[in-house]
Amino acid sequence: MNIVVLVKMVPDTESRLEIVDGKVNESGFKYMVNPYDEFAVEQAVQFKEASGGKVTLVSLFSNDTSIDTDLRKMMAIGADEAIVLRQDGYRGDRPSANAKTISDAISEMNADLVIGGVQGIDYYQGATGPMIAHMLGIPHVSGVTNLEMNGEKFTAKRQIEGGLQVIECSGPVLITCQKDMTKVRFPALKDIMMSKRKPFENREVSLNEGNDVNTDECSLPPARGGGVIIDGESAEEKVDKLIEKLKTEAKVL
Amino acid sequence: MSSVVVVGEVDGNEVKDVSQQVAAVAAGMGDVVGIVMGKNIAEAAMKLSTSKIIIAEDDTLENYDPVRFSSIVTQVVEQTNATRVLMGATTMGKDLGPRLAAELNWGYLGDCLEAGDEGFVRPNYAGKVLAKSNPTNPVVVSIRNNAYPAGESWSGTVENFSGNIPDSNLTTASIEKIGAGTVELTEANIVVSGGRGLESPENYEEHIRPLANALGAAAGASRAIVDAGWVPHSHQVGQTGKTVTPDLYLAIGISGAIQHLGGMSGSKFIVAINKDAEAPIFKVADYGIIGDLFEIVPVLKSKLDN
Ligand SMILES: Cc1cc2nc3c(=O)[nH]c(=O)nc-3n(C[C@H](O)[C@H](O)[C@H](O)COP(=O)(O)OP(=O)(O)OC[C@H]3O[C@@H](n4cnc5c(N)ncnc54)[C@H](O)[C@@H]3O)c2cc1C
């Protein structure tokens, strides 16, 4: 089986978010592999271990090579090779243009399975996966918490309101992973060493026109003023005051 | 006036709340055409508050399928010359929206907190940054539940979808209901969440679920106790869990890490119960009780029962 894993590099969750002139100051950002994409890598490697094939990581990013170490870690999990699409002026908030660039690159790879995370923890659009699937002319299943493979057939359980939608399909298909899908392994030292010898291709790509909506202005959400601390002599008194406030002030009870 | 397509969803005999909210937003943007897809849904679909409703009923539409649903909406857009498609940011909307945008060659704005003539606002970095845009080109937009009041339920003119429903490779084998009879986190008006302060999974069952039941609320959790295996990930609120925007959010034994706040700070009112007066959760709580949850919660529960 030929598996392509989509890996997005996203700003670390501890990154300081500062707004300058209506834009997020990204200059101090450090990038890491999007946590949801790690589940995809692990799942792809498990399929390969079960029934053979090849796992290729595909990532679209800028010319910044500080991400290479983190991507190598994904190869230590068991991916066979990485193709990094290097784009001058890359931005993570252009799902339409980025989907076009990525689908152009993977269309000739004849993947049976294209798999990635359900969303990037930067812009949370969850858009690139379904867009790529449409551009490749294949179906997709998003937010999958469990994926099984039986020969040519996949069974995906997708999180929906109140339960799971169990979907069967044959490849090629694009899947996006929800958090519970797999438990990502810690690679052994020898796998980390081996990963350094695996093929790692940097491929220049040009900027694509997409249909993305430009952001006019970014702002920090209005700080929620800390409210009141409800005091009282006893638990009972505190609870009475709370219920009173929820009924009369907040009017939510 | 330009026209706007609203993708409605039904739940049982009713149109989903979020669909009515979206219909109300769309009403301010132009002529609105609703499209509802499914099986045996006509009666419920007619309640969608748009002046015109197109109903696509077919056995193959019983469960959501991105390929079929995207194609149907595309045909409705072409037929109505619409320049915007709006839908709720449900598990269907967040999946359909981007695929549809690709099929239409339009822009996409997901999970919007504000939508209107002055533009759209959507969260970045788990809500830590708000991004505003005012697209002039056609867009598909999904809008978060509870961002707007719902439109009144009323019937417009109804038409059956007469286009073509494509084949799809996907087959829904079954729907596994989880927590039947409980309230869905992302749709709940009240959410009661518990964290590591509960000390054990048994205490979650003993204190959080009954309190949630007493309030008709959904039960949520911090990542700490999801990772510990006390409750499934479907309960997790936060940056790598669900984003909730209820009228009332109760955080019990939760410290209020930045990643947790990302998923709940859009709630209308927040109550925190925590024994540590310095816990960051108090910085966002409208009402805080500093105290031992094992003393407070049972009293709260019994008072609410009365
Ligand atoms: C990439 C990444 C993503 C993450 N995503 C999420 C996410 O989506 N959601 C999320 O929640 N977290 C997320 N986290 C984890 C987050 O950083 C915190 O570790 C987690 O939220 C802590 O959970 P907690 O508040 O239950 O536990 P703790 O931080 O341990 O807090 C427990 C609280 O309980 C209080 N307490 C203890 N005993 C009592 C008592 N008897 N009565 C009253 N109060 C008591 C304590 O004072 C303390 O404040 C993420 C972290 C990372 C790095």
Side-chain angles (χ1 to χ4, degrees):
Chain A
M1 216 185 25
N2 194 1
I3 309 176
V4 168
V5 186
L6 307 172
V7 178
K8 187 177 193 183
M9 305 307 297
V10 295
D12 192 296
T13 52
E14 305 287 337
S15 299
R16 228 185 100 216
L17 296 164
E18 179 195 33
I19 309 286
V20 181
D21 294 335
K23 287 199 170 71
V24 175
N25 176 9
E26 299 172 357
S27 59
F29 281 8
K30 289 195 173 57
Y31 290 84
M32 62 177 203
V33 170
N34 181 41
Y36 290 104
D37 301 350
E38 295 190 12
F39 301 111
V41 177
E42 174 67 40
Q43 183 66 74
V45 170
Q46 284 181 18
F47 285 156
K48 185 190 83 163
E49 287 167 346
S51 49
K54 183 169 142 195
V55 175
T56 307
L57 308 181
V58 173
S59 186
L60 171 62
F61 199 62
S62 67
N63 292 313
D64 171 3
T65 54
S66 70
I67 59 154
D68 296 8
T69 324
D70 233 33
L71 264 181
R72 288 269 183 202
K73 277 188 207 144
M74 297 297 106
M75 301 175 84
I77 287 175
D80 298 290
E81 58 176 47
I83 300 174
V84 186
L85 307 170
R86 299 288 184 176
Q87 189 180 57
D88 232 355
Y90 164 80
R91 290 199 53 82
D93 60 358
R94 285 195 296 238
S96 165
N98 293 347
K100 179 89 178 47
T101 306
I102 295 169
S103 66
D104 282 350
I106 61 182
S107 64
E108 59 211 42
M109 292 168 69
N110 288 317
D112 305 293
L113 174 64
V114 181
I115 188 167
V118 65
Q119 60 193 1
I121 61 158
D122 44 3
Y123 300 104
Y124 285 85
Q125 292 250 65
T128 313
M131 286 179 172
I132 290 175
H134 177 78
M135 291 167 186
L136 293 174
I138 63 176
H140 77 267
V141 186
S142 75
V144 173
T145 57
N146 182 278
L147 182 65
E148 275 167 27
M149 180 184 68
N150 291 303
E152 301 277 273
K153 228 177 82 181
F154 296 98
T155 305
K157 294 188 178 176
R158 160 172 191 270
Q159 238 177 38
I160 58 170
E161 289 81 8
L164 296 168
Q165 183 179 7
V166 184
I167 297 178
E168 291 172 352
C169 63
S170 51
V173 61
L174 185 144
I175 301 283
T176 71
C177 311
Q178 211 15 294
K179 185 182 167 217
D180 264 353
M181 191 183 210
T182 50
K183 199 162 166 37
V184 181
R185 74 190 73 181
F186 291 103
L189 189 62
K190 83 168 197 320
D191 294 323
I192 296 173
M193 298 310 291
M194 280 223 320
S195 75
K196 298 196 172 122
R197 292 200 296 270
K198 289 181 175 173
F200 190 105
E201 183 193 340
N202 288 300
R203 192 185 291 174
E204 294 281 321
V205 293
S206 48
L207 274 177
N208 250 316
E209 283 285 313
N211 303 301
D212 298 298
V213 179
N214 283 327
T215 296
D216 296 332
E217 191 183 2
C218 286
S219 59
L220 299 177
R224 268 195 99 98
V228 292
I229 296 292
I230 296 175
D231 39 36
E233 293 296 311
S234 61
E236 174 144 11
E237 193 186 331
K238 290 178 189 172
V239 168
D240 281 339
K241 284 188 185 167
L242 173 67
I243 292 179
E244 182 62 22
K245 285 188 183 297
L246 292 177
K247 281 190 175 147
T248 56
E249 270 181 28
K251 299 190 173 67
V252 288
L253 287 188
Chain B
M1 264 213 291
S2 61
S3 69
V4 182
V5 169
V6 167
V7 181
E9 284 181 68
V10 302
D11 188 2
N13 297 321
E14 297 298 326
V15 169
K16 280 195 176 184
D17 245 15
V18 63
S19 301
Q20 300 293 39
Q21 295 161 14
V22 171
V25 171
M29 293 181 176
D31 295 330
V32 186
V33 178
I35 166 78
V36 185
M37 297 161 276
K39 180 186 172 185
N40 301 329
I41 44 124
E43 226 168 290
M46 282 188 256
K47 299 178 188 165
L48 182 65
S49 45
T50 56
S51 52
K52 182 174 167 188
I53 300 166
I54 300 176
I55 296 178
E57 267 196 312
D58 193 77
D59 284 352
T60 61
L61 303 177
E62 180 172 6
N63 296 293
Y64 169 65
D65 178 310
V67 176
R68 292 199 174 98
F69 280 44
S70 178
S71 165
I72 293 171
V73 181
T74 299
Q75 294 172 58
V76 171
V77 165
E78 282 163 359
Q79 191 191 321
T80 55
N81 290 316
T83 51
R84 276 178 186 173
V85 178
L86 268 52
M87 61 188 82
T90 57
T91 59
M92 173 178 125
K94 288 200 261 188
D95 182 287
L96 173 64
R99 182 154 191 132
L100 176 66
E103 186 158 352
L104 290 167
N105 257 312
W106 287 12
Y108 175 63
L109 292 167
D111 206 16
C112 289
L113 306 167
E114 285 176 35
D117 275 344
E118 302 85 63
F120 299 85
V121 174
R122 59 176 312 278
N124 289 172
Y125 305 103
K128 285 179 263 180
V129 171
L130 302 176
K132 187 165 185 174
S133 58
N134 205 344
T136 44
N137 292 331
V139 275
V140 176
V141 179
S142 65
I143 300 174
R144 191 179 283 185
N145 188 32
N146 263 346
Y148 289 91
E152 283 292 314
S153 181
W154 57 287
S155 310
T157 58
V158 178
E159 206 176 275
N160 283 321
F161 174 72
S162 56
N164 152 59
I165 302 173
D167 287 335
S168 167
N169 236 335
L170 306 175
T171 321
T172 296
S174 63
I175 300 289
E176 289 179 8
K177 292 229 188 306
I178 298 178
T182 59
V183 184
E184 170 63 28
L185 256 183
T186 52
E187 294 176 359
N189 292 323
I190 303 180
V191 173
V192 180
S193 284
R196 187 143 48 195
L198 285 160
E199 291 171 5
S200 75
E202 292 74 30
N203 287 334
Y204 186 92
E205 300 304 319
E206 192 182 325
H207 294 285
I208 300 300
R209 284 202 208 277
L211 183 60
N213 287 341
L215 286 163
S222 71
R223 170 166 159 182
I225 73 166
V226 169
D227 284 355
W230 299 1
V231 293
H233 175 247
S234 56
H235 288 55
Q236 185 177 320
V237 172
Q239 188 159 5
T240 48
K242 290 183 175 156
T243 303
V244 298
T245 44
D247 293 333
L248 176 61
Y249 187 88
L250 283 97
I252 299 174
I254 291 179
S255 60
I258 184 118
Q259 296 92 348
H260 188 80
L261 301 184
M264 45 66 79
S265 54
S267 307
K268 292 214 176 72
F269 286 92
I270 298 172
V271 170
I273 301 173
N274 197 304
K275 69 177 181 190
D276 174 10
E278 302 296 312
I281 191 76
F282 288 122
K283 294 214 175 74
V284 301
D286 299 280
Y287 305 114
I289 294 185
I290 300 167
D292 185 346
L293 73 91
F294 296 109
E295 286 171 22
I296 309 284
V297 174
V299 180
L300 181 58
K301 161 87 172 48
S302 76
K303 299 248 174 196
L304 289 170
D305 282 341
N306 295 328

